[in-house]
Amino acid sequence: MTRPNVLFLCNANSARSLMGEALLRHLAGERFAAFSAGSQPDQPHELALAALHKQGIDTTTLASKPLEEFTGEHFETVIVLCDKAHQACRDWPGSHDEYLYWDIRDPRQIDRPDAYEQALQEIRRRLTLWLELKAQDTSTR
């Protein structure tokens, strides 16, 4: 049985979307295949990686990738984590069954030392709920 593909999108693919990708792998194990990309990719942000490390989440395979790398791919779920990516992805030629828009505030724009950890916790809360819903969907089939 193939695992459902989940794609996390953000503008730079340097923090929030990478956190989503790593966190889904951490929380769901082999249940999903997690990916991330950006409409204007940058390098992984060191504070985002540090926040993940602090939670014991593996970051060894994380890399910023352009959204175009996934053109033509099918994803069960696409989770957009910022308004810029939400705007840029409207015409993306990939396909998906479920599209979620979680506007997580950009930690680079927050002048607090724990901004990245706060963003990670918000993504964790939403992913945990989403995983619970997915488990319920599976058990009612």
Side-chain angles (χ1 to χ4, degrees):
M1 184 174 151
T2 60
R3 299 180 297 164
N5 290 335
V6 177
L7 179 63
F8 293 88
L9 296 177
C10 204
N11 188 49
N13 191 217
S14 64
R16 293 166 286 179
S17 52
L18 289 176
M19 289 180 191
E21 176 185 355
L23 193 55
L24 181 59
R25 286 184 184 141
H26 181 78
L27 294 173
E30 295 296 315
R31 287 178 42 210
F32 296 92
F35 304 92
S36 68
S39 53
Q40 298 176 336
D42 200 346
Q43 295 298 312
H45 197 287
E46 63 187 44
L47 293 176
L49 298 177
L52 289 163
H53 281 290
K54 189 173 182 179
Q55 297 289 317
I57 299 170
D58 182 28
T59 63
T60 55
T61 61
L62 295 180
S64 298
K65 299 164 288 303
L67 178 58
E68 293 78 22
E69 187 171 311
F70 298 101
T71 297
E73 297 280 333
H74 178 77
F75 292 90
E76 177 180 289
T77 304
V78 172
I79 301 173
V80 179
L81 299 168
C82 75
D83 190 54
K84 287 181 182 177
H86 180 60
Q87 298 297 323
C89 298
R90 290 183 182 190
D91 298 323
W92 174 58
S95 69
H96 56 275
D97 298 329
E98 175 181 45
Y99 180 91
L100 302 173
Y101 174 49
W102 300 343
D103 190 15
I104 306 294
R105 198 162 166 216
D106 186 349
R108 292 178 300 182
Q109 306 299 320
I110 302 170
D111 190 23
R112 289 182 34 203
D114 65 343
Y116 287 84
E117 292 174 30
Q118 291 295 318
L120 180 59
Q121 291 311 313
E122 181 62 26
I123 295 167
R124 180 188 290 271
R125 279 192 290 277
R126 294 179 189 215
L127 264 182
T128 299
L129 291 171
W130 180 79
L131 286 167
E132 288 175 13
L133 289 172
K134 289 296 180 187
Q136 289 174 5
D137 286 350
T138 303
S139 67
T140 59
R141 287 183 191 170

